[in-house]
Amino acid sequence: MTEYSKIYNPLNTFKIKGLGEKTLDKLRSMGIETLYDLIYYFPRAYEDRTNFKDIINLRQDEYAVVKGRIVGIENRKLGYRKNITKARVSDPTGFLEVVWFNMPHLKYSLKVGEEYIFIGNIKRGYNFQMVSPEYKRVEEEKEFKGEILPIYGLTKSMKQSTLRKLIEGALNNYEGYFKENIPAEILKEYRIMERERALREIHFPKSTKGAEGAKNRFAVEELLVLQMGIQEKRYLGDIANKEQYKLQDNKHLVKRFLEGLHFQLTGAQKRVVTEIYRDLNQGRITNRLIQGDVGSGKTMVAMIVLLYMVENSYQGVMMAPTEILAVQHYLSIGRIFEKMGIRTALLTGSVKGKAKEKLLEEIKDGQVDIVIGTHSLIEDNVEFHKLGLIVIDEQHRFGVVQRKKLREKGVLANLLVMSATPIPRSLALSIYGDLDVSVIDELPPGRKPIKTKWIDNEPDLEKAYTFIEKQLAKGRQAYFVAPLIEESEKMATKSATELHREIEERFGNYKVGILHGRMRNSEKDEIMGEFKENNIQIMVSTTVIEVGVNVPNATVMVISSAERFGLSALHQLRGRIGRGEHASYCFLLSNTENDSSKSRLRVMEETTDGFEIAEEDLRLRKSGEIFGTKQSGVSDLKFVDIVHDVKTIKMVRDLSKEYLKENLGRIENIYLKEDIKRKFMNIENN
Ligand SMILES: Nc1ncnc2c1ncn2[C@@H]1O[C@H](COP(=O)(O)OP(=O)(O)OP(=O)(O)O)[C@@H](O)[C@H]1O
């Protein structure tokens, strides 16, 4: 073992203050096992305590630090066993309402007349509020040196302050172990922050600029490791074809399926299908990313390839990111397939006991051709008779390693990954280096562009409602999306329930359903099924409908508090309408005063093109607002945001092609080599 590789040793072999057995357990449950894991557990955000915000300048949705005096405090009941504590806080510029839920004791512990510091999110109800903030009494607070504090993603049992201290301790004792792994010339040429300094800055930045520089450095580092690894190993086609296979080319099933459709495939769909056929007919394994904007017909392509495999007596699997979607696919795809005599089954976490045993048996015996399901398809002991193709959604965030494991489940390791994230093809290739890329760059004909309108006042909302009524009268259906509430599922549900009541009152002639995250899966499926069948005309929902839902007859979407959503989330949401022959309409409700929110809403009014929206997103996002790949869906990349870091990705791609290929062997690059080895170790062990 080299000295350097110690960073990958288990945490209990290191001396860090506060690191006892219990803490180790908690860390393990957060996926932190080694020194590297701990030090590379980067904050998801920062709390800038270097400047207090004047109350008068507060903005909707901002995370703010306010210093003010409590001038009044009261408790109120909100219903059975629920209550709210409201404090009125003043600073020299104005008043702010600060609220907490179900914490009545605060009325007694917070002192009227005293000065406090409040840290939290600003929401706008009737007036500006800070909801459930952290607070400190100014008098007692020695910790406030005016600093930028890291905020980590935590599990329940871990405290911010504990993790901060652990990381600080680890850095103090072992910083030196993290030798520079990016070649010196590159650091210099691209002005990249050195590793040790970046580790300090990412956790405990001296300035927001410092944190930015550090983030950029780790994005480069991560991309280098990934790309070099992929290039070195050439993952394309490295999995042996366990069975000599030749596929029959007559495609009876596919032809029958296509004849039954009431539309033609688009040129782009045909091209992509041909690309896949070409792999399969030559006995090559297909391992492909299919990229296409929302509603471009990716699922259709997957269905065709599944049929082709069945025709050749292989089984196929389609894995959906959520149970709702799995059920939906099962209902729509399954119905068509069953009619064609293809045995289709649904396997999700809800299938249990005897039913499950039976199903597993049938899958193993080959009595089932196509299995549609969720993650449980691979997690459980599901054995296949002769699995030929797996279709997954990019939402699964599988990385190179997991993708390889998946492929090994099959007799043939064919894998299709579906993605609606709009990234240019050349970049997609360099990020998903182990996959070929096909792009569906054309929408089905006859799609009328979705008309989008931003509504910021009551009279216009009333007009919109009248318009929606007309749409409903024409037989169309509508989605109403409740405000995004991140604090808790409970509050999100509450806001959806309130909206539901309001919509039921307003649209009394129609059936209104509700969908939220706290419902049981079976309830969700049932409601979604009813909506699909048009037994329900209006669906009120939290964002659970964001991906994949397909009800072409739904042509109206109303999004409440639209300013709370990011551009790509809005695009995904809106992509649920405009999926059929009828014109569709999206209403964005918001009375935001925030300039960047306003710009987002305008972009939504102006375009429906996913690429354009991604570009605008990039332009509008304050740099570093979002950390990591929450949006990218590529689990290999934790620190890179594929929309935001396009330039960095390009740079590293060029680098790894030219410079590094030749220089990786040089002695000074041993650390990078070690990191690449670690990252890909699982694969090598197989
Ligand atoms: N060539 C086509 N012509 C007309 N309609 C089509 C065509 N291809 C697909 N459709 C229809 O368009 C809708 C969207 O297709 P599909 O669900 O395959 O898109 P998708 O790309 O998977 O969508 P998303 O990423 O938004 O979930 C479906 O109702 C489907 O039947």
Side-chain angles (χ1 to χ4, degrees):
M1 189 169 59
T2 63
E3 177 79 1
Y4 176 72
S5 63
K6 277 192 188 153
I7 61 172
Y8 296 107
N9 283 358
L11 261 181
N12 60 6
T13 60
F14 294 92
K15 284 211 179 67
I16 298 166
K17 207 172 157 209
L19 194 66
E21 268 313 310
K22 271 198 187 142
T23 314
L24 279 167
D25 272 347
K26 287 180 194 165
L27 289 171
R28 259 180 232 122
S29 74
M30 295 165 69
I32 301 176
E33 310 215 351
T34 64
L35 180 67
Y36 176 92
D37 294 341
L38 180 65
I39 296 223
Y40 271 67
Y41 197 82
F42 294 162
R44 67 173 166 75
Y46 298 97
E47 205 173 281
D48 189 350
R49 297 179 172 185
T50 47
N51 45 31
F52 299 120
K53 191 101 188 204
D54 288 337
I55 288 178
I56 197 167
N57 289 329
L58 290 174
R59 290 275 170 263
Q60 165 89 354
D61 284 337
E62 101 183 306
Y63 198 79
V65 186
V66 169
K67 184 160 120 184
R69 202 172 292 286
I70 296 188
V71 293
I73 188 160
E74 58 171 3
N75 277 340
R76 260 198 225 155
K77 278 223 160 322
L78 269 188
Y80 180 62
R81 292 174 69 176
K82 284 189 196 135
N83 56 58
I84 181 170
T85 305
K86 284 190 181 181
R88 198 166 146 82
V89 171
S90 89
D91 78 354
T93 68
F95 288 96
L96 173 70
E97 192 170 76
V98 178
V99 303
W100 293 269
F101 296 95
N102 297 327
M103 297 177 78
H105 57 278
L106 286 181
K107 176 171 177 343
Y108 310 102
S109 53
L110 292 170
K111 300 270 175 294
V112 173
E114 293 275 343
E115 221 175 9
Y116 288 83
I117 291 163
F118 300 94
I119 305 141
N121 264 323
I122 301 297
K123 294 284 168 213
R124 185 164 187 168
Y126 183 59
N127 34 46
F128 277 116
Q129 279 187 341
M130 192 180 256
V131 184
S132 308
E134 224 190 286
Y135 60 90
K136 303 265 154 81
R137 220 166 123 192
V138 170
E139 285 267 295
E140 296 164 359
E141 192 46 69
K142 288 192 211 74
E143 214 183 281
F144 280 102
K145 290 181 293 239
E147 48 190 352
I148 303 176
L149 282 185
I151 315 274
Y152 298 98
L154 296 177
T155 47
K156 265 199 186 126
S157 56
M158 178 60 81
K159 285 208 300 221
Q160 289 291 355
S161 53
T162 313
L163 190 58
R164 270 175 210 154
K165 282 195 189 115
L166 285 172
I167 291 178
E168 197 173 12
L171 273 177
N172 286 344
N173 298 354
Y174 302 108
E175 198 171 39
Y177 284 31
F178 290 80
K179 301 268 189 269
E180 184 54 73
N181 55 358
I182 300 182
E185 304 96 290
I186 296 179
L187 284 183
K188 200 162 155 213
E189 186 171 343
Y190 295 94
R191 298 177 181 214
I192 296 165
M193 194 184 280
E194 326 75 83
R195 196 176 193 185
E196 275 191 29
R197 172 151 169 242
L199 283 173
R200 281 276 162 195
E201 287 288 337
I202 200 103
H203 289 290
F204 307 106
K206 295 208 184 66
S207 64
T208 31
K209 255 206 163 139
E212 273 311 304
K215 273 182 208 174
N216 182 53
R217 185 237 138 78
F218 291 113
V220 173
E221 180 183 313
E222 181 168 50
L223 283 163
L224 269 179
V225 171
L226 178 72
Q227 290 201 15
M228 290 311 299
I230 287 170
Q231 291 218 2
E232 231 187 19
K233 309 267 180 312
R234 302 213 194 298
Y235 277 94
L236 302 176
D238 69 330
I239 294 182
N241 192 349
K242 290 187 201 149
E243 192 177 88
Q244 201 57 31
Y245 85 104
K246 282 219 174 58
L247 299 187
Q248 294 234 344
D249 209 15
N250 48 27
K251 308 188 187 97
H252 288 308
L253 276 178
V254 175
K255 278 183 196 138
R256 241 172 70 212
F257 171 67
L258 291 177
E259 278 159 19
L261 293 177
H262 59 278
F263 52 73
Q264 299 269 314
L265 293 185
T266 62
Q269 283 171 318
K270 279 187 198 151
R271 196 188 63 238
V272 172
V273 170
T274 311
E275 281 167 358
I276 301 167
Y277 278 160
R278 204 178 299 139
D279 288 344
L280 297 176
N281 291 341
Q282 293 173 358
R284 269 200 2 231
I285 301 294
T286 198
N287 188 28
R288 214 168 257 282
L289 175 76
I290 305 205
Q291 225 196 56
D293 207 344
V294 289
S296 59
K298 297 181 288 292
T299 313
M300 192 55 64
V301 169
M303 285 170 78
I304 291 171
V305 186
L306 283 169
L307 283 174
Y308 187 42
M309 296 311 291
V310 173
E311 169 134 25
N312 281 282
S313 354
Y314 286 99
Q315 292 171 300
V317 155
M318 180 143 179
M319 216 163 117
T322 64
E323 177 138 7
I324 294 197
L325 278 184
V327 172
Q328 187 194 291
H329 279 314
Y330 175 68
L331 291 177
S332 54
I333 299 174
R335 187 177 300 167
I336 300 172
F337 281 7
E338 288 285 344
K339 266 192 208 147
M340 300 174 69
I342 295 160
R343 297 154 303 179
T344 311
L346 175 71
L347 180 59
T348 64
S350 307
V351 181
K352 292 196 178 103
K354 284 251 157 64
K356 183 169 178 181
E357 266 170 42
K358 181 160 172 269
L359 181 55
L360 289 183
E361 207 52 45
E362 287 171 357
I363 295 173
K364 197 171 164 187
D365 288 353
Q367 293 173 50
V368 170
D369 300 311
I370 303 283
V371 195
I372 297 172
T374 48
H375 236 89
S376 39
L377 273 175
I378 48 159
E379 279 168 357
D380 292 348
N381 276 341
V382 189
E383 284 175 61
F384 291 87
H385 176 61
K386 205 177 159 196
L387 178 59
L389 172 71
I390 303 173
V391 182
I392 63 173
D393 202 286
E394 175 215 32
Q395 297 284 330
H396 283 114
R397 303 181 183 202
F398 289 148
V400 182
V401 176
Q402 290 101 320
R403 284 199 287 269
K404 180 164 186 241
K405 288 218 163 115
L406 252 188
R407 291 165 63 193
E408 284 168 351
K409 267 219 154 215
V411 178
L412 296 182
N414 295 306
L415 177 71
L416 298 180
V417 183
M418 305 290 175
S419 161
T421 310
I423 26 172
R425 183 193 182 99
S426 56
L427 290 186
L429 266 173
S430 58
I431 298 166
Y432 298 88
D434 58 328
L435 300 176
D436 293 325
V437 180
S438 292
V439 186
I440 308 183
D441 50 5
E442 184 185 345
L443 288 180
R447 288 273 171 84
K448 309 200 173 72
I450 304 169
K451 291 209 179 84
T452 302
K453 195 166 163 41
W454 166 21
I455 290 187
D456 64 357
N457 61 66
E458 281 295 323
D460 280 357
L461 181 62
E462 199 34 57
K463 274 188 217 152
Y465 278 6
T466 313
F467 177 85
I468 293 169
E469 221 149 33
K470 284 192 190 135
Q471 285 288 308
L472 292 166
K474 280 187 190 164
R476 303 287 89 73
Q477 290 164 278
Y479 295 104
F480 281 77
V481 181
L484 177 70
I485 296 177
E486 283 177 341
E487 284 82 7
S488 77
E489 195 56 54
K490 206 163 160 188
M491 282 171 72
T493 302
K494 186 170 158 256
S495 96
T497 316
E498 273 165 17
L499 181 64
H500 180 251
R501 202 175 307 132
E502 189 188 315
I503 299 301
E504 259 190 333
E505 259 168 44
R506 180 63 179 73
F507 298 93
N509 298 335
Y510 298 95
K511 278 205 87 169
V512 186
I514 180 169
L515 201 61
H516 58 72
R518 295 194 116 202
M519 287 161 75
R520 262 179 289 139
N521 280 328
S522 56
E523 284 176 295
K524 287 188 207 162
D525 299 342
E526 198 176 311
I527 291 281
M528 213 43 226
E530 294 277 301
F531 187 62
K532 229 177 146 71
E533 298 291 327
N534 200 357
N535 296 330
I536 286 175
Q537 288 74 46
I538 302 176
M539 180 66 91
V540 174
S541 155
T542 54
T543 51
V544 287
I545 57 165
E546 194 176 326
V547 280
V549 166
N550 188 40
V551 182
N553 190 46
T555 58
V556 175
M557 177 168 285
V558 181
I559 304 179
S560 306
S561 303
E563 75 284 347
R564 295 195 188 175
F565 295 91
L567 265 180
S568 57
L570 285 172
H571 179 61
Q572 275 291 335
L573 270 173
R574 183 174 61 180
R576 299 312 106 209
I577 57 171
R579 299 173 77 85
E581 57 195 303
H582 304 288
S584 290
Y585 307 90
C586 178
F587 298 97
L588 304 171
L589 313 189
S590 173
N591 50 10
T592 178
E593 294 292 329
N594 179 302
D595 286 339
S596 87
S597 303
K598 284 181 179 170
S599 310
R600 285 205 300 274
L601 297 173
R602 270 186 222 115
V603 171
M604 290 299 293
E605 284 192 313
E606 277 157 23
T607 178
T608 51
D609 179 315
F611 275 91
E612 250 176 70
I613 288 178
E615 262 165 38
E616 284 301 319
D617 191 19
L618 180 61
R619 212 173 51 76
L620 290 174
R621 245 195 256 172
K622 275 185 256 138
S623 59
E625 226 172 41
I626 295 171
F627 195 18
T629 45
K630 218 171 151 192
Q631 315 212 323
S632 78
V634 196
S635 75
D636 288 318
L637 298 172
K638 282 208 318 247
F639 311 128
V640 181
D641 176 332
I642 53 183
V643 177
H644 190 253
D645 293 329
V646 168
K647 267 204 197 130
T648 312
I649 298 170
K650 274 194 186 131
M651 174 198 112
V652 175
R653 180 192 58 194
D654 295 344
L655 265 180
S656 43
K657 262 199 203 129
E658 297 159 23
Y659 170 85
L660 278 172
K661 229 170 165 178
E662 275 134 46
N663 293 283
L664 195 65
R666 273 169 32 199
I667 190 78
E668 61 268 37
N669 291 326
I670 48 169
Y671 305 130
L672 183 59
K673 280 190 90 158
E674 176 80 33
D675 293 330
I676 296 170
K677 195 176 109 201
R678 290 286 161 169
K679 170 130 198 148
F680 289 83
M681 196 143 72
N682 295 342
I683 295 183
E684 281 169 4
N685 285 344
N686 276 329

